[in-house]
């Protein structure tokens, strides 16, 4: 079966660092994506990993371990506007990308 | 920046009616997708479309659903005989032509479908 697990909710303080974990079991793997989704809006692309290791992009970094079926998204210098859902998604063999249920992040002052 | 556009933003229909959701993907993209998100739930894959044919579809995408690219710019999702459980946000997405495997999805703003 296909399974992507991530925590339902997290809370962090403005200016802090937060790590959102994701574990996956999928039939086929062509890369892992992180998307941000504000309430009532469409998901927007944040990062992509296909090889093991860390990808850094400004305040956002994403890590992948294919052997462990594990990824995390690291957000630094949190801002209030970072309050959103963060979706872990895996591109399986072919054209399909499947999504986890998302982690709702609350950033408090 | 080019974007995916969807119309209408909100559609209300009665159970049993047919609806057509419309999308204009980014112009140089070749891979097109429909996803749906029931309120409070995860984004679910429905179908992918490439080279004028369905390339992959999920179990959700049964005979009730169909997709079409009627001209060079539009991409439509038709839902026949709508049911209450079809109420959801429907997102259209497209991805770039080169190396479809690592190209991210570019989503439209969605059509909120309400079936009464």
């Amino acid at each position: 079966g296909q399974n992507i697990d991530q925590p339902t909710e997290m809370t962090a303080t403005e200016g802090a660092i937060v790590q959102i974990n994701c574990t996956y079991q999928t039939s086929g793997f062509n890369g892992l994506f992180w998307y941000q989704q504000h309430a009532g809006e469409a998901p927007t692309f944040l990062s992509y990993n296909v090889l093991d290791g860390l990808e850094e992009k400004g305040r956002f970094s994403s890590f992948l371990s294919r052997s462990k079926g594990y990824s995390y998204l690291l957000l630094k210098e949190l801002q209030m506007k970072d309050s959103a859902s963060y979706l872990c998604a895996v591109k399986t063999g072919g054209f399909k990308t499947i999504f986890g249920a998302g982690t709702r992040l609350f950033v408090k002052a | 920046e080019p974007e995916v556009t969807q119309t209408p933003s909100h559609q209300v229909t009665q159970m049993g009616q047919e609806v057509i959701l419309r999308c204009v993907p980014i112009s140089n993209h070749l891979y097109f997708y429909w996803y749906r998100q029931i309120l409070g739930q995860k984004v679910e894959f429905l179908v992918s479309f490439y080279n004028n044919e369905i390339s992959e579809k999920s179990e959700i995408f049964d005979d009730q659903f169909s997709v079409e690219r009627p001209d060079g710019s539009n991409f439509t999702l038709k839902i026949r005989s709508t049911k209450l459980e079809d109420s959801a946000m429907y997102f259209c997405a497209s991805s770039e032509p080169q190396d479809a495997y690592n190209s991210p999805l570019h989503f439209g703003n969605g059509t909120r479908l309400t079936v009464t």
Side-chain angles (χ1 to χ4, degrees), chain B residues 5-108:
Chain B
T5 56
Q6 290 186 243
T7 54
S9 56
H10 203 146
Q11 172 99 43
V12 180
T13 191
Q14 288 192 322
M15 206 165 46
Q17 296 297 305
E18 175 182 285
V19 294
I20 298 176
L21 310 183
R22 302 180 192 279
C23 170
V24 178
I26 295 173
S27 60
N28 68 331
H29 287 189
L30 296 179
Y31 301 88
F32 313 122
Y33 312 84
W34 284 101
Y35 283 80
R36 79 172 185 190
Q37 188 174 32
I38 295 168
L39 190 64
Q41 298 187 23
K42 66 181 178 182
V43 176
E44 298 177 290
F45 171 79
L46 292 178
V47 67
S48 59
F49 191 87
Y50 170 69
N51 202 24
N52 281 320
E53 61 182 24
I54 291 173
S55 45
E56 202 161 350
K57 61 183 181 179
S58 71
E59 316 77 51
I60 304 168
F61 194 89
D62 59 22
D63 293 343
Q64 189 195 1
F65 295 88
S66 61
V67 289
E68 195 178 31
R69 187 151 164 85
D71 52 43
S73 57
N74 290 285
F75 179 51
T76 63
L77 175 69
K78 183 188 289 186
I79 310 175
R80 284 178 282 275
S81 191
T82 50
K83 301 177 279 203
L84 294 176
E85 53 265 38
D86 295 327
S87 296
M89 181 74 93
Y90 287 81
F91 290 110
C92 174
S94 65
S95 62
E96 295 181 49
Q98 58 272 17
D99 200 352
Y101 287 110
N102 69 3
S103 299
L105 297 169
H106 296 258
F107 286 90

Side-chain angles (χ1 to χ4, degrees), chain A residues 78-89:
Chain A
L78 279 173
Q79 302 173 10
M80 300 299 286
K81 68 177 182 180
D82 296 329
S83 293
S85 287
Y86 291 86
L87 314 182
C88 177

Side-chain angles (χ1 to χ4, degrees), chain A residues 2-105:
Chain A
Q2 318 259 51
N3 212 39
I4 300 176
D5 288 317
Q6 43 182 138
T8 306
E9 281 185 7
M10 299 183 72
T11 301
T13 305
E14 198 175 15
I17 299 173
V18 71
Q19 177 175 313
I20 302 173
N21 295 323
C22 169
T23 57
Y24 65 91
Q25 282 180 302
T26 57
S27 55
F29 181 87
N30 278 317
L32 188 142
F33 296 79
W34 284 94
Y35 289 84
Q36 181 189 60
Q37 186 179 30
H38 284 98
E41 297 183 9
T44 54
F45 168 70
L46 287 178
S47 70
Y48 169 74
N49 296 72
V50 67
L51 300 175
D52 286 0
L54 189 69
E55 293 285 339
E56 297 190 77
K57 213 173 169 183
R59 293 190 299 116
F60 297 85
S61 305
S62 56
F63 172 83
L64 175 68
S65 167
R66 290 187 63 169
S67 62
K68 294 181 178 168
Y70 168 70
S71 174
Y72 67 72
L73 179 70
L74 197 71
L75 293 79
K76 303 173 199 171
E77 300 167 19
L78 279 173
Q79 302 173 10
M80 300 299 286
K81 68 177 182 180
D82 296 329
S83 293
S85 287
Y86 291 86
L87 314 182
C88 177
V90 172
K91 195 155 213 173
T92 61
F95 294 88
K96 185 197 288 191
T97 299
I98 59 171
F99 286 78
T103 298
R104 211 180 325 172
L105 175 66

